[in-house]
Amino acid sequence: MSPSRKFNFPHRHLLGIEALSPQDITVLLDLAEEYAILNRGPEKKLSRLRGLTQINLFFETSTRTRTSFELAGKRLGADVINMSVEGSAIKKGETLIDTAMTLNAMQPDIMVVRHPDSGAVDLLSQKVSGSVINAGDGSHAHPTQALLDALTVRRRRGRLEGLKVAICGDILHSRVARSNIQLFLAMGAEVRVVAPPTLLPIAVEKLGVKVHTNMLEGLKDCDIVMMLRLQTERMQGAFVPSLREYFHYFGLDRAKLAAAKGDALIMHPGPMNRGVEIDTDVADDIDRSVIHEQVEMGVAVRMACLEALAPVRDATSADGPAT
Ligand code: NCD
């Protein structure tokens, strides 16, 4: 492979934000910042990962995450294979490991994995010889989403420290919420969660967040309003009385947004359910909504993660797989 640049990023896998220090997060964001500039230019292709094989293994549906990991790998010159297991008989336990071992035998350098079960990607990472990136496991973690959200905010506000971030909606089932809480707290932001009590995890305040069950109170003076989709695929039974009522109390519209700072940014990881957690009027507000920029930063952040993991493997794999 072409020589990778060396980074101070002492990790073989990227499974969650909790394993990263503020310094690690800054290394990734700085690198992603370079890629954000490259991606806006006419020549987007580099050869930093030439010779490496990246397998995207998705056991759950995805639009943004899978496409951006594919683009990220290709822009860095890796050979990228996509495997979608959605709808097949493969579920979990031994079968997951069997699949992983089969793919491992083909010597991929990096596996990007999404799975509906919390902990499944961690388990898989213990069985393969390359690096593993968690592209979302159940309601547990989605580290690259948190990193791309942080990059979007940092580019707009110039910092993360001291900002007031309100994460609103289905906190209980959201891996995006968990990873963002960890990242923004680690970087010195104040994080609030705003949701009906049925959509809050038990003892959520132990994570270090302020808890609100009223949007006007939760959004008061905040810099960032991050809306989340109702993760109905992870719900058994009804968690909200009706979608109309949910929108009335917890959907972001102009009136609720007015409680936040006048220049507060509106964010959403996608896919959006317009009229449920967010009103079209605010989702499409070109001055305040950074939802498309989040998607754009997703490619840059994933390029950074792929490159940062590659040297570790490079350094340890001269005579065989990393141990
Ligand atoms: C999120 C996910 O898959 O966790 N989407 C994404 O990666 N952009 C959020 C969601 O599905 O609501």
Side-chain angles (χ1 to χ4, degrees):
M1 69 178 265
S2 61
S4 298
R5 299 177 298 168
K6 295 292 170 210
F7 302 99
N8 186 13
F9 190 75
H11 303 278
R12 182 167 143 215
H13 306 299
L14 178 59
L15 300 173
I17 296 294
E18 69 270 27
L20 304 182
S21 66
Q23 154 83 11
D24 295 334
I25 293 168
T26 303
V27 165
L28 291 175
L29 296 183
D30 289 350
L31 187 52
E33 195 101 47
E34 287 177 30
Y35 286 126
I37 294 164
L38 178 95
N39 286 340
R40 283 193 181 174
E43 178 57 59
K44 300 176 176 59
K45 185 123 177 161
L46 300 172
S47 58
R48 287 179 185 154
L49 298 191
R50 194 170 59 208
L52 292 190
T53 304
Q54 171 188 337
I55 297 186
N56 297 333
L57 179 58
F58 277 63
F59 294 85
E60 219 185 43
T61 53
S62 174
T63 307
R64 283 149 274 264
T65 307
R66 201 201 54 72
T67 318
S68 64
F69 266 115
E70 180 175 357
L71 261 182
K74 286 182 170 165
R75 286 192 182 161
L76 290 172
D79 294 316
V80 185
I81 309 289
N82 292 306
M83 276 206 54
S84 170
V85 206
E86 221 273 305
S88 84
I90 300 170
K91 282 279 193 299
K92 58 179 178 179
E94 275 196 338
T95 341
L96 165 70
I97 299 307
D98 278 347
T99 311
M101 295 317 289
T102 303
L103 294 171
N104 194 48
M106 300 179 202
Q107 305 286 338
D109 300 279
I110 300 180
M111 286 172 76
V112 177
V113 188
R114 169 171 284 196
H115 197 281
D117 294 337
S118 301
V121 180
D122 207 315
L123 182 66
L124 188 144
S125 75
Q126 296 165 28
K127 307 285 176 187
V128 299
S129 30
S131 293
V132 172
I133 299 181
N134 183 359
D137 65 320
S139 54
H140 174 235
H142 194 353
T144 58
Q145 179 69 43
L147 286 161
L148 75 87
D149 290 338
L151 180 65
T152 307
V153 172
R154 203 180 75 163
R155 282 168 56 91
R156 285 289 186 129
R157 288 288 176 266
R159 67 192 164 100
L160 300 175
E161 194 177 351
L163 294 179
K164 293 184 172 64
V165 181
I167 306 180
C168 314
D170 186 358
I171 312 292
L172 179 64
H173 301 101
S174 175
R175 54 197 176 203
V176 176
R178 262 175 203 73
S179 288
N180 265 313
I181 289 169
Q182 290 168 346
L183 190 152
F184 278 93
L185 286 178
M187 301 308 281
E190 175 193 311
V191 182
R192 311 154 180 192
V193 294
V194 192
T198 48
L199 292 176
L200 285 168
I202 294 166
V204 63
E205 63 285 348
K206 292 208 172 122
L207 298 176
V209 296
K210 295 188 178 160
V211 184
H212 296 273
T213 53
N214 176 290
M215 283 288 273
L216 294 181
E217 286 167 20
L219 296 194
K220 193 166 183 302
D221 292 331
C222 71
D223 300 279
I224 308 293
V225 185
M226 194 181 288
M227 301 309 299
L228 299 171
R229 183 177 65 89
L230 288 174
Q231 311 264 307
T232 44
E233 71 276 26
R234 297 189 218 292
M235 294 180 190
Q236 272 145 13
F239 282 73
V240 295
S242 74
L243 295 184
R244 183 195 285 253
E245 195 171 319
Y246 182 77
F247 179 73
H248 178 72
Y249 288 105
F250 292 95
L252 185 69
D253 56 15
R254 283 281 159 209
K256 298 186 194 86
L257 183 62
K261 280 194 182 148
D263 61 351
L265 299 178
I266 302 162
M267 305 182 76
H268 195 304
M272 268 189 287
N273 284 162
R274 291 168 186 264
V276 180
E277 74 273 5
I278 191 162
D279 195 12
T280 283
D281 176 40
V282 290
D284 297 338
D285 181 333
I286 50 166
D287 296 320
R288 311 281 296 275
S289 167
V290 291
I291 295 170
H292 291 298
E293 213 167 300
Q294 288 173 267
V295 178
E296 181 189 355
M297 291 310 130
V299 181
V301 151
R302 284 159 184 142
M303 289 171 84
C305 294
L306 290 169
E307 191 185 5
L309 290 178
V312 175
R313 167 134 173 90
D314 196 23
T316 54
S317 66
D319 302 307
T323 50

